[in-house]
Amino acid sequence: MKKNENKKIMIIVPHEDDELNLAGGILNSHFINKKNIILVFTTNGDYGISGQTRINEALKSAKKMHIPINNVIFLGYSDQYKNKDTHIYMTPNNSVWISQNGKKETYGTNKINDFRFSIDNYHSPFNKESFIKDLYDVIEKYLPNKIFTIDYDSHPDHRCLTLCFDIAMGQLLKKNLDYEPKIYKGFAYPTSFFGYADFDSINLKSTNFKTENNSTYPMQNPYLIWDDRVRFPVAKSVTNKFLPLNNFYKCLRCHKSQLIIKKAFSIINSDQVFWERYSNNLIRFAKIIASSGSIEYLNDFRLFDTNNIMHGDKLKTNFTNISWIPSKEDLKKTLKFTFLKKVTFNQINFYQNAASSDRIDEIELLFSNGYKNNICIKDFICYKYKLPDQKDITWIKIIIKSTTGDMAGFSEIEVLKLDNKPKQNNFIKIVINDDLTYGKYFIKNNINSLKIFLYDNDKNYLLNKDDCYYYLNGKKIDYNAIFLNIKKNNKLKIVVKNNSLEDTVIIKKVTLKNRIINKLIFYLNKIYIFIDVLYLRVINKIKKILKKIKV
């Protein structure tokens, strides 16, 4: 872990409380040096609640997680309710959007300035261009090694952030060719705030995805596949089943105005899930020539766009075209990437046009080393072509062999050199029945599935069963023996053969007593939340009355 102590981690979220929806489990972790966490809020969450209140709540939450106050940054924009018809993202170029409370420019509090004022002594006007510039500048200022941010779910502020982040990141990566941060996108709604309320299960459950109403694609973002998620373990301090002692719950409670504690059963899980976006696309170092079409779309980091980000829970997204589409009259339909230096790669990702159902059906790949292959990709909106390391390549040519429809094209092409093995072995985690385990795990009769994840701080790797040794109650056993009927208090230890990393879990056969205790804790939690919510509502009501009296 020492090797990563000085790596900067930036969390970029829309609202004060989304830091917990998105990454609360890992923000509470002791494995992260809190001094190196940069927490960025793009809005002040001031629709219906004062920005001062939301900012103060975020600072209290950060303090609870031991994140330095100076590392908490507010871009200072206003947020917008999901079913309104206007948004800063949809405002015409350079026009100023006026929020529902009359705000026209970024702002902070009497104790903490908004980001733009803190660096340039002026406030940013409320428009899309300023929003993108502020995102660009805050990332460039810190150049974090890892970035965790929001993906495309039904809330317009979430959509605005993820789409603007892609624009800003595309600009930044082209300007800083040596900058290659790890980028992870996750959700605040379908995996968290509006996720499955399963905290009452006897074991802490893994995160699941709850598809939102009127989703154009199963996961809103058309290119995401659930099995491609990166699963981060949460802090041990947030696995306590009794909420008054759970540190995650204590952080949720800091956001008093939002009463987010009501969603604790949905938010707290045994893992935190993200999808990686690659910043090391080798096309950055290439000259692109196309037989026709707009080549600037092929390497701008943007995968899709839309003219209307509102009403996400009622209307399906109508994507707009930001793809390279060869001309209908183009009989060659060819792309060629000539690299400025020799490159090595082992994967090419093809992202098809999300704005249309038209598809590129078949392509031919040719490399400067003589490699040649035809690939059928018509059934994939995102096709990931993996191959052995191709070394010292100077050019890649892509010939479109057949298409369906006139709008078939690529929104992005990524040429990548990915590590198939971790660079740094940090720890392993035992996963039983798809749940990450933390000390003990209850089963009815048998273990249905057992996985071992190896972590290197950037990614989780699924180990093969032959990569490990297995010990049950101190006795070395075969992997298959684990799936036999388990008696009470079986201690399972798994050790990786080549580096001796190990993890241990006590496997217990669930008894009537366990069920009664778990049910008792469940009702105690429900009562505790009820009383807590009632108390916070009274406090919020008193604050509103006092505010009116002052006015």
Side-chain angles (χ1 to χ4, degrees):
M1 306 302 291
K2 291 181 180 180
K3 194 173 182 179
N4 292 279
E5 282 183 355
N6 295 318
K7 288 191 174 183
K8 292 193 288 288
I9 300 173
M10 181 173 282
I11 314 289
I12 310 176
V13 291
H15 308 119
E16 291 76 7
D17 73 0
D18 281 330
E19 79 280 14
L20 301 177
N21 285 319
L22 179 75
I26 56 178
L27 280 174
N28 278 281
S29 174
H30 295 298
F31 293 118
I32 299 175
N33 186 343
K34 304 302 177 66
K35 293 181 180 179
N36 294 325
I37 292 178
I38 313 297
L39 186 54
V40 179
F41 296 95
T42 59
T43 79
N44 290 338
D46 55 5
Y47 190 99
I49 302 291
S50 75
Q52 171 116 21
T53 297
R54 298 297 298 273
I55 288 172
N56 288 338
E57 290 175 350
L59 294 174
K60 289 178 181 177
S61 175
K63 185 178 180 180
K64 185 74 68 176
M65 295 183 286
H66 306 289
I67 299 172
I69 298 304
N70 291 337
N71 289 13
V72 185
I73 298 166
F74 300 89
L75 297 193
Y77 291 85
S78 286
D79 66 339
Q80 176 67 306
Y81 186 64
K82 59 184 178 181
N83 287 329
K84 296 293 184 178
D85 291 320
T86 67
H87 199 279
I88 190 172
Y89 189 80
M90 296 151 53
T91 304
N93 290 346
N94 296 316
S95 299
V96 176
W97 178 73
I98 303 175
S99 70
Q100 60 86 31
N101 53 14
K103 300 290 185 181
K104 298 180 181 180
E105 60 182 18
T106 57
Y107 69 97
T109 70
N110 56 353
K111 293 183 178 180
I112 186 166
N113 290 318
D114 61 275
F115 172 72
R116 180 55 59 193
F117 193 86
S118 69
I119 62 171
D120 289 328
N121 208 34
Y122 71 87
H123 303 289
S124 292
F126 279 4
N127 58 47
K128 181 179 176 181
E129 291 73 20
S130 294
F131 190 89
I132 293 169
K133 178 172 173 53
D134 288 353
L135 275 175
Y136 179 101
D137 286 350
V138 75
I139 298 171
E140 187 179 48
K141 179 180 178 179
Y142 294 96
L143 291 177
N145 305 92
K146 294 182 189 177
I147 301 174
F148 294 87
T149 191
I150 212 81
D151 212 320
Y152 192 85
D153 60 32
S154 62
H155 198 293
D157 293 333
H158 301 185
R159 294 179 171 188
C160 175
L161 172 52
T162 189
L163 295 173
C164 289
F165 172 85
D166 287 354
I167 296 172
M169 183 54 62
Q171 296 170 354
L172 189 61
L173 292 176
K174 285 183 179 180
K175 180 182 175 182
N176 301 270
L177 294 179
D178 293 330
Y179 182 49
E180 295 182 356
K182 288 284 185 179
I183 300 172
Y184 297 100
K185 285 194 170 188
F187 292 96
Y189 272 9
T191 58
S192 187
F193 191 81
F194 290 134
Y196 292 100
D198 52 14
F199 189 74
D200 58 325
S201 301
I202 197 162
N203 297 300
L204 192 62
K205 304 300 292 181
S206 60
T207 301
N208 278 300
F209 190 93
K210 196 172 186 179
T211 300
E212 298 177 286
N213 293 333
N214 291 299
S215 177
T216 306
Y217 290 89
M219 298 181 67
Q220 291 278 18
N221 182 331
Y223 302 104
L224 295 187
I225 298 174
W226 181 246
D227 288 343
D228 288 344
R229 70 194 185 283
V230 181
R231 304 175 64 181
F232 288 88
V234 299
K236 187 70 183 292
S237 61
V238 306
T239 63
N240 195 310
K241 298 288 285 184
F242 188 44
L243 288 178
L245 302 179
N246 188 303
N247 203 56
F248 201 154
Y249 183 86
K250 294 176 183 178
C251 295
L252 292 172
R253 200 177 183 280
C254 292
H255 295 280
K256 296 180 180 180
S257 66
Q258 303 307 294
L259 298 178
I260 194 175
I261 54 176
K262 294 192 297 183
K263 295 291 185 176
F265 280 21
S266 300
I267 296 173
I268 304 174
N269 287 295
S270 72
D271 60 358
Q272 205 99 57
V273 299
F274 296 90
W275 286 259
E276 186 173 1
R277 283 298 314 272
Y278 297 105
S279 63
N280 57 337
N281 188 356
L282 294 172
I283 291 179
R284 287 192 294 162
F285 307 99
K287 178 182 179 182
I288 307 174
I289 298 176
S291 54
S292 62
S294 301
I295 60 174
E296 66 269 16
Y297 290 132
L298 291 168
N299 183 28
D300 60 1
F301 201 75
R302 302 171 69 198
L303 298 180
F304 59 90
D305 199 1
T306 179
N307 287 327
N308 187 359
I309 62 173
M310 310 306 292
H311 307 284
D313 57 343
K314 295 181 179 179
L315 300 176
K316 291 187 175 182
T317 297
N318 182 25
F319 294 111
T320 56
N321 178 50
I322 55 167
S323 298
W324 168 78
I325 300 174
S327 169
K328 183 179 178 181
E329 291 75 27
D330 186 353
L331 300 178
K332 297 180 180 179
K333 292 183 174 60
T334 304
L335 285 168
K336 186 174 182 180
F337 303 96
T338 303
F339 297 98
L340 304 179
K341 57 182 181 181
K342 293 180 180 180
V343 299
T344 298
F345 59 87
N346 53 20
Q347 184 166 319
I348 305 178
N349 295 337
F350 299 94
Y351 297 88
Q352 301 235 38
N353 183 9
S356 171
S357 59
D358 296 346
R359 292 289 174 260
I360 292 174
D361 298 329
E362 185 181 0
I363 61 174
E364 182 181 18
L365 282 179
L366 300 98
F367 304 156
S368 60
N369 63 355
Y371 182 93
K372 183 178 180 180
N373 194 18
N374 280 25
I375 309 170
C376 180
I377 64 173
K378 65 179 181 178
D379 296 326
F380 301 89
I381 189 168
C382 177
Y383 186 83
K384 299 181 179 180
Y385 183 62
K386 301 177 182 180
L387 66 169
D389 282 2
Q390 303 295 303
K391 299 180 180 180
D392 298 329
I393 303 300
T394 57
W395 57 261
I396 294 174
K397 183 180 286 189
I398 301 170
I399 301 172
I400 312 301
K401 305 293 288 186
S402 64
T403 62
T404 299
D406 297 334
M407 295 296 292
F410 294 125
S411 68
E412 194 86 353
I413 295 176
E414 295 172 332
V415 178
L416 306 167
K417 174 63 174 73
L418 299 181
D419 295 314
N420 296 318
K421 295 182 180 180
K423 293 180 179 179
Q424 179 183 353
N425 300 324
N426 293 115
F427 60 92
I428 65 170
K429 182 60 68 175
I430 296 173
V431 183
I432 298 177
N433 300 341
D434 208 37
D435 302 322
L436 273 69
T437 61
Y438 299 87
K440 62 182 178 180
Y441 192 87
F442 294 94
I443 64 170
K444 291 182 179 179
N445 292 307
N446 299 82
I447 294 175
N448 297 321
S449 69
L450 175 70
K451 299 176 183 176
I452 305 97
F453 285 155
L454 173 64
Y455 287 87
D456 73 342
N457 278 339
D458 292 328
K459 196 172 181 180
N460 54 268
Y461 295 83
L462 180 62
L463 296 178
N464 294 320
K465 63 180 182 179
D466 296 331
D467 293 333
C468 303
Y469 297 117
Y470 306 90
Y471 300 88
L472 193 62
N473 299 324
K475 183 179 179 181
K476 192 173 182 180
I477 60 169
D478 181 70
Y479 172 84
N480 294 321
I482 300 170
F483 296 90
L484 299 175
N485 286 345
I486 298 292
K487 299 178 181 178
K488 290 184 179 180
N489 298 332
N490 286 259
K491 183 178 180 181
L492 174 64
K493 183 171 77 170
I494 297 179
V495 182
V496 182
K497 291 180 179 179
N498 64 352
N499 56 32
S500 298
L501 290 176
E502 64 178 62
D503 192 21
T504 302
V505 61
I506 304 295
I507 302 173
K508 296 189 173 185
K509 192 170 182 179
V510 64
T511 63
L512 178 61
K513 180 181 177 181
N514 299 140
R515 294 180 187 279
I516 292 173
I517 292 174
N518 186 66
K519 188 62 72 173
L520 179 62
I521 292 174
F522 167 71
Y523 285 117
L524 287 173
N525 284 334
K526 293 279 281 187
I527 294 170
Y528 182 69
I529 292 175
F530 176 81
I531 295 173
D532 219 3
V533 169
L534 186 63
Y535 167 75
L536 293 178
R537 279 179 172 159
V538 170
I539 294 297
N540 291 338
K541 190 72 175 177
I542 292 172
K543 286 181 178 178
K544 287 182 180 179
I545 293 172
L546 292 175
K547 187 176 180 181
K548 287 182 180 180
I549 292 173
K550 287 181 180 180
V551 173

